[in-house]
Amino acid sequence: MRHLMSPLDFSVDELDDLLTLANDIEHYPEKYAHACDGKKLATCFYEPSTRTRLSFEAAMLNLGGSVLGFSSADSSSAAKGESVSDTIRVISCYADICAIRHPKEGAALVASLKSFIPVINAGDGGHQHPTQTLTDLLTIRSLKGRLSNLTIGLCGDLKFGRTAHSLIHALIRYANVKFVLISPEELRIPDYIREDVLIKNNVPFTELERLEDAIPSLDILYMTRVQKERFFNEEDYVRMKDFYILTKDKLKLAKEDMLILHPLPRVNEISVEIDDDPRAVYFKQAQYGVYVRMALILTLLKWR
Ligand code: NCD
């Protein structure tokens, strides 16, 4: 049995197969409409979510399976003091596979150690968000045709943004990938990623503050929201929240074929005037999230 805690849990070849399966699902959905008949997915969400939870549920329903779960800690026995370990042991009796989101880093890993069914990390605090990364990889591969030879700008809250952390981990395994890390000083990428992931693996990267300086060189611009819920005080958040706003004017500096991704939810960091630009693919990205989660559910259930 296998779980998914980090994008590195899959080898590059396994990822390739998963993304290929997701594209097959995209083009021939009817082939998969009964692939999970009689199977149940539990979604255990201790933190807010729209896309991740609903795309997981849509994915299982598209496969012919059913879903059960809770969408906030308040509506589960966590409110009574139950541990994640105990909850997952019980969920293992009710479902065949589980996606869990929790505000504490490592919570999904703790769950996986006690679980009798595959556990998927659907976001653990400011740490990792591997299924968003699968979504991002599928989006880039499908729309750009490759995951190598890319200059990728990650912009915004690189300190707390788990989607950025997971994406960096995943992309360093492809040839000739360069990163441009765009953030205010206070929201720079954590040291453990700069040192242990980028420098240790000789991955080229630059860090800068002005989005305008970075845009012209980019093949992909990955925008992120300032992670309000991870700030210790409101004042710091208010000071940071509108640091970056991607506007039509700034986009004039970009390559004609640069893609703009965003895991969503967007707050102010991308002006809505950009939504109709063909380079803005963040809503398509949300759709790819369903295909890739279908592929993931099928793959983990097959290995069970
Ligand atoms: C992201 C998350 O939860 O980390 N959302 C998502 O799953 N698409 C990004 C965010 O909340 O900013």
Side-chain angles (χ1 to χ4, degrees):
M1 185 172 74
R2 288 179 63 177
H3 308 286
L4 178 67
M5 295 297 120
S6 143
L8 299 182
D9 294 351
F10 288 136
S11 68
V12 171
D13 287 345
E14 285 171 342
L15 266 181
D16 218 43
D17 290 347
L18 188 95
L19 300 182
T20 300
L21 176 59
N23 284 135
D24 199 58
I25 290 169
E26 174 190 3
H27 295 117
Y28 308 101
E30 63 291 344
K31 258 168 64 181
Y32 300 90
H34 297 286
C36 283
D37 277 356
K39 299 284 184 200
K40 281 177 273 180
L41 163 78
T43 51
C44 302
F45 276 57
Y46 296 82
E47 252 196 350
S49 168
T50 301
R51 267 151 298 274
T52 305
R53 186 170 62 85
L54 297 185
S55 65
F56 259 117
E57 297 190 358
M60 192 49 148
L61 296 174
N62 289 345
L63 293 167
S66 332
V67 295
L68 66 165
F70 52 86
S71 57
S72 78
D74 298 348
S75 62
S76 78
S77 281
K80 301 179 186 168
E82 187 173 51
S83 67
V84 168
S85 308
D86 282 2
T87 304
I88 193 71
R89 288 181 88 133
V90 174
I91 303 275
S92 293
C93 311
Y94 303 156
D96 302 282
I97 184 164
C98 172
I100 180 170
R101 168 172 287 190
H102 199 283
K104 288 221 175 89
E105 289 77 10
L109 180 65
V110 168
S112 71
L113 299 174
K114 290 285 168 181
S115 177
F116 303 109
I117 58 175
V119 174
I120 300 165
N121 179 7
D124 61 329
H127 186 217
Q128 296 255 14
H129 192 346
T131 63
Q132 182 62 49
T133 296
L134 299 180
T135 303
D136 303 337
L137 297 179
L138 180 65
T139 306
I140 298 171
R141 202 185 79 160
S142 302
L143 301 180
K144 270 266 178 238
R146 63 183 195 276
L147 290 169
S148 48
N149 302 315
L150 291 171
T151 300
I152 296 158
L154 295 136
C155 176
D157 185 349
L158 305 186
K159 179 177 180 187
F160 296 117
R162 56 194 176 194
T163 59
H165 303 166
S166 287
L167 187 57
I168 292 174
H169 271 102
L171 281 172
I172 63 160
R173 299 193 290 182
Y174 298 91
N176 195 22
V177 167
K178 296 189 197 103
F179 293 97
V180 183
L181 305 174
I182 311 147
S183 72
E185 180 66 26
E186 285 151 281
L187 298 179
R188 284 173 70 191
I189 202 86
D191 286 345
Y192 76 90
I193 295 187
R194 185 182 306 99
E195 307 292 330
D196 299 347
V197 181
L198 295 170
I199 296 177
K200 205 168 157 186
N201 292 293
N202 293 317
V203 179
F205 71 99
T206 50
E207 291 188 271
L208 44 85
E209 199 167 271
R210 274 170 44 93
L211 179 55
E212 296 86 325
D213 295 342
I215 280 192
S217 67
L218 303 179
D219 299 308
I220 308 283
L221 172 58
Y222 193 91
M223 295 296 293
T224 64
R225 147 187 95 89
V226 176
Q227 304 281 297
K228 183 178 183 194
E229 63 277 36
R230 317 236 182 264
F231 275 71
F232 294 113
N233 69 68
E234 174 85 13
E235 260 168 54
D236 286 348
Y237 169 69
V238 170
R239 210 158 34 78
M240 293 286 128
K241 74 180 173 62
D242 292 330
F243 204 95
Y244 296 110
I245 301 180
L246 181 63
T247 56
K248 263 194 176 157
D249 266 355
K250 288 186 194 137
L251 201 52
K252 284 189 189 134
L253 303 167
K255 291 183 188 168
E256 283 294 302
D257 62 348
M258 183 190 80
L259 296 181
I260 308 162
L261 275 71
H262 190 310
L264 304 178
R266 152 177 63 186
V267 187
N268 276 332
E269 56 282 353
I270 301 181
S271 163
V272 291
E273 66 184 17
I274 286 183
D275 293 356
D276 295 329
D277 190 293
R279 291 169 284 190
V281 298
Y282 28 90
F283 291 113
K284 265 190 204 160
Q285 189 183 350
Q287 175 67 58
Y288 280 119
V290 178
Y291 306 135
V292 92
R293 289 183 174 94
M294 290 170 74
L296 178 65
I297 291 169
L298 284 174
T299 303
L300 291 180
L301 285 178
K302 193 178 73 192
W303 282 336
R304 206 185 152 186

